[in-house]
Amino acid sequence: MAFKKDFLWGASTSAYQVEGGYNEGGKGASVQDVKKIPDGTPDFKVCSDHYHRYKEDIKLFNELGLKAYRFSIAWTRILPTGDGEVNKEGIDFYNNIINECKKYNIEPIVTMYHFDLPYELDKVGGWSNDKTVDAFEKFAKVLFENYGDRVKYWLTINEQNIMTLMGSVIGTGDSSEIYQDNHRMLLAQAKAMILCHKMLPNAKIGPAPNISAVYPNSNTPEDNLAAQYANVHRNWQFLDACVFGIYNKLALEMIKSQGYKLEISEDDIKILKNAKPDFIAFNYYNTSTVKASQKINDSTKIDQQNMSGVNGFFEQVDNKNLQKTEFGWEVDPVGFRVTLNEIYSRYNLPLMITENGLGAYDKLEDGKVHDDYRIKYLKDHIEQMRRATESGVEILSYNPWSAIDLISTHEGFLKRYGFIYVDRDNESEKTLNRYKKDSFFWYKKVIESNGEELD
C-alpha cells in the first residue's frame, strides 16, 4: 500500500475567502476587507457564510470522510488591530471550529496567516515595519496558548513567496522594498517556529509556500541555467532561508542585480538558524517554463505581476506540451511528482500538500454538479503523488483546494474549486445552500480506500 494507514486525507480553505462575517464577533478589518475589488467580483463580507454555517459544513466534511481540515485563523478575529487586546469572541469561534473537527476525528491543520494582514498594521507600514514582526510573534503566542492542546499541525505563512513576488495582484501590498519585507516575514516565521517548539513540544510546525518545478524551454546550456535561476527565484530562496537559515547565493545575486535593498544582521541570521521546521507544506497548481533572458537593462526590476522574469537571468514562456484550464493555468500532474521529488531531495523533510485543485465554471443542475473534469485532474495528481511515495518521498497529508466553494481571489464565485457547491454567484448570495458535487462522492471513495481506488 502506497499511503500509510495514518495518512491524512483532507481539504483546505482560508478564513477571508470562506468565512464572511467580516464585521461580526469583534473582528477587525484586514487588508482583504479594504482592498479595491475588481468590477463584477463580490467582496469578502459574506463569502460562503462559513462563519454562521461551520457546523453544517464540518458535518459535510465528516460525511466526505475527511481525516484533516486545513483552515486559517483570521488574525483580526483574534487581535482586531493586529497587536492589542485579545478578542474573546474570536478565540471562542475557533475553539468551536476545532472542537467540531475533533468531534468527528478530523485533524485540524491550522494556517496562522493567509493573506489577511490586519489593516491597522498595514496603515503603519505592514511588513515594512519591525512592529509587524513582534505582532506576529504575539499572535502566534495567543494561538499556541489557546489551541495548542488540540492542534498538532501548524502552518506559519501561506504562500510567502507569492506575497513577495505578486503582492499587488493578490491584495497584500506592493512595496518598493519587497525583499526587506520578505526578510521580516522570514524572521516572524522563525520566531513563531522557535516559540512553537518551546511552548508545544509535541506539535509540528512548518512553512506553506507555493512551490512548483521550473523547466528549461530547451536543452541549451543557457536555458538550463535560466531554469536554475528561476527555481531559486520562485522556490528555493524562500525555503533555503526557512530550512537552512541561510540565504541562497543565486537569490542574493538576482536581488542585488535589481537594485533592491536587503540588510541582514548577525542577530537575524542567529534567529533564522535557530528555527527548524518539522515539515514542509506547500501549494501546487502548475509548473512554469523559462528561457534565457535577452534583456540586459539592469535598472529594470522584476515584473511583480506574474513572476515572468528577472533581467539577464530568465524569461517565462508558454509550455506547448501542456494543456490549460479554462482560466489559462497549465495542467501538469507529472510536474507535481517532479516537484515532490525535488523538495524532498533538497530538504529531506516530510511534506504536506496544502493546496492542489482545479478552478472551473461548475454548473448546478437539478441539485447536482457533474465535475468529471475535476475528478480527472485530482485523480491524475494523486496517482503521481502515489508514485512519489513509492520512490520514498515522505508525505503526511493531501489537502486539495478547496473543501467547499469559496471566493476566488480574482474571479469570485465564477471560479469554483470545492467538493461542495455553494448556491450563490457574483451577483447574488441566493440561498447559500450546499450541494455535493460528483467529486464529493469520488473523493469519499478515494479516502475510504486510502488512495487505492481512484476510478
Side-chain angles (χ1 to χ4, degrees):
M1 186 175 289
F3 299 103
K4 295 180 179 179
K5 288 183 178 180
D6 60 352
F7 188 83
L8 294 173
W9 295 96
S12 290
T13 66
S14 81
Y16 85 91
Q17 291 172 280
V18 77
E19 284 182 4
Y22 79 107
N23 63 349
E24 297 183 55
K27 180 182 177 297
S30 78
V31 293
Q32 299 296 341
D33 294 318
V34 301
K35 76 178 184 182
K36 181 177 173 56
I37 303 294
D39 291 341
T41 304
D43 56 30
F44 300 99
K45 292 180 179 178
V46 176
C47 300
S48 303
D49 200 29
H50 185 64
Y51 183 74
H52 297 107
R53 297 172 179 241
Y54 70 88
K55 287 188 177 181
E56 175 188 357
D57 292 340
I58 295 173
K59 185 177 180 181
L60 282 168
F61 299 166
N62 176 60
E63 186 178 337
L64 177 56
L66 295 189
K67 306 299 183 185
Y69 174 39
R70 179 248 180 171
F71 62 94
S72 72
I73 288 179
W75 192 336
T76 53
R77 282 205 192 281
I78 305 301
L79 299 168
T81 64
D83 183 16
E85 293 297 317
V86 175
N87 174 35
K88 185 179 183 303
E89 288 184 83
I91 295 291
D92 291 345
F93 174 69
Y94 291 110
N95 266 325
N96 292 337
I97 292 277
I98 292 166
N99 290 340
E100 200 69 16
C101 287
K102 288 292 187 178
K103 182 173 93 174
Y104 293 110
N105 294 315
I106 296 173
E107 189 75 47
I109 300 173
V110 173
T111 308
M112 299 168 64
Y113 170 42
H114 193 128
F115 296 169
D116 53 357
L117 184 73
Y119 181 53
E120 293 301 317
L121 291 178
D122 187 63
K123 287 197 296 187
V124 293
W127 290 108
S128 296
N129 190 330
D130 290 336
K131 280 183 59 178
T132 301
V133 177
D134 297 333
F136 186 77
E137 187 177 20
K138 175 180 177 178
F139 174 50
K141 185 173 186 290
V142 173
L143 297 188
F144 299 153
E145 286 173 341
N146 285 277
Y147 310 125
D149 59 328
R150 285 153 293 152
V151 176
K152 178 180 178 181
Y153 295 104
W154 297 89
L155 313 176
T156 51
I157 300 175
N158 179 76
E159 295 191 348
Q160 180 177 339
N161 54 337
I162 303 301
M163 283 194 286
T164 297
L165 302 174
M166 297 178 65
S168 60
V169 175
I170 60 176
T172 58
D174 186 6
S175 170
S176 61
E177 298 182 353
I178 60 171
Y179 291 104
Q180 197 66 54
D181 293 357
N182 176 66
H183 179 65
R184 290 189 183 90
M185 268 194 277
L186 287 169
L187 289 175
Q189 173 174 258
K191 289 184 175 184
M193 290 194 293
I194 292 168
L195 189 62
C196 181
H197 289 141
K198 179 180 179 181
M199 294 179 62
L200 308 173
N202 295 320
K204 307 290 184 184
I205 191 168
N210 181 307
I211 303 296
S212 66
V214 181
Y215 303 139
N217 192 47
S218 73
N219 60 1
T220 65
E222 291 79 10
D223 281 359
N224 275 269
L225 183 62
Q228 191 174 52
Y229 275 104
N231 266 302
V232 167
H233 172 73
R234 193 201 186 289
N235 302 317
W236 313 139
Q237 66 169 315
F238 303 94
L239 283 177
D240 283 3
C242 175
V243 177
F244 301 137
I246 58 174
Y247 271 85
N248 188 289
K249 299 302 182 185
L250 298 184
L252 292 176
E253 179 188 2
M254 284 184 281
I255 292 168
K256 182 179 179 181
S257 77
Q258 299 168 85
Y260 280 112
K261 171 186 174 183
L262 178 57
E263 296 177 356
I264 308 167
S265 72
E266 291 185 8
D267 287 342
D268 292 347
I269 294 297
K270 288 179 182 177
I271 293 170
L272 293 178
K273 284 186 174 292
N274 284 333
K276 301 295 182 183
D278 300 295
F279 59 87
I280 295 172
F282 74 101
N283 303 340
Y284 174 88
Y285 290 95
N286 50 17
T287 49
S288 59
T289 304
V290 299
K291 65 177 182 179
S293 173
Q294 302 302 312
K295 301 175 185 176
I296 56 174
N297 181 2
D298 291 339
S299 66
T300 303
K301 294 183 179 181
I302 179 178
D303 178 354
Q304 293 182 48
Q305 300 302 310
N306 56 20
M307 299 186 291
S308 64
V310 176
N311 272 330
F313 295 94
F314 67 90
E315 294 179 42
Q316 190 165 314
V317 298
D318 282 339
N319 189 327
K320 305 300 183 184
N321 299 302
L322 300 175
Q323 294 182 336
K324 292 186 177 180
T325 71
E326 294 174 299
F327 293 90
W329 289 24
E330 293 171 340
V331 178
D332 189 0
V334 175
F336 185 32
R337 183 177 167 195
V338 171
T339 304
L340 286 163
N341 289 343
E342 185 64 23
I343 300 174
Y344 193 69
S345 297
R346 189 177 182 93
Y347 300 108
N348 197 33
L349 285 172
L351 305 182
M352 180 181 291
I353 295 90
T354 39
E355 290 181 29
N356 173 234
L358 177 69
Y361 295 106
D362 294 344
K363 293 182 179 180
L364 181 68
E365 298 174 325
D366 297 325
K368 297 181 179 180
V369 177
H370 302 301
D371 56 343
D372 293 347
Y373 40 85
R374 180 168 293 109
I375 292 172
K376 175 173 172 42
Y377 177 98
L378 294 171
K379 173 186 174 181
D380 291 346
H381 283 75
I382 292 172
E383 171 63 21
Q384 293 300 324
M385 179 174 66
R386 180 186 64 79
R387 294 189 182 187
T389 64
E390 291 173 346
S391 299
V393 177
E394 184 180 358
I395 305 175
L396 302 173
S397 182
Y398 177 68
N399 302 275
W401 187 263
S402 54
I404 186 170
D405 285 346
L406 39 68
I407 289 190
S408 173
T409 303
H410 305 297
E411 291 86 9
F413 268 87
L414 288 177
K415 187 180 187 182
R416 296 173 182 267
Y417 284 88
F419 294 109
I420 300 165
Y421 186 94
V422 176
D423 182 32
R424 67 157 298 176
D425 54 28
N426 283 1
E427 288 72 42
S428 169
E429 291 157 18
K430 294 188 174 181
T431 68
L432 290 168
N433 287 343
R434 274 63 167 146
Y435 298 88
K436 303 164 196 171
K437 303 180 188 179
D438 287 356
S439 60
F440 179 103
F441 300 101
W442 171 83
Y443 193 45
K444 180 179 176 68
K445 288 195 301 182
V446 171
I447 296 171
E448 287 173 347
S449 68
N450 198 25
E452 292 297 310
E453 179 58 60
L454 297 180
D455 292 320

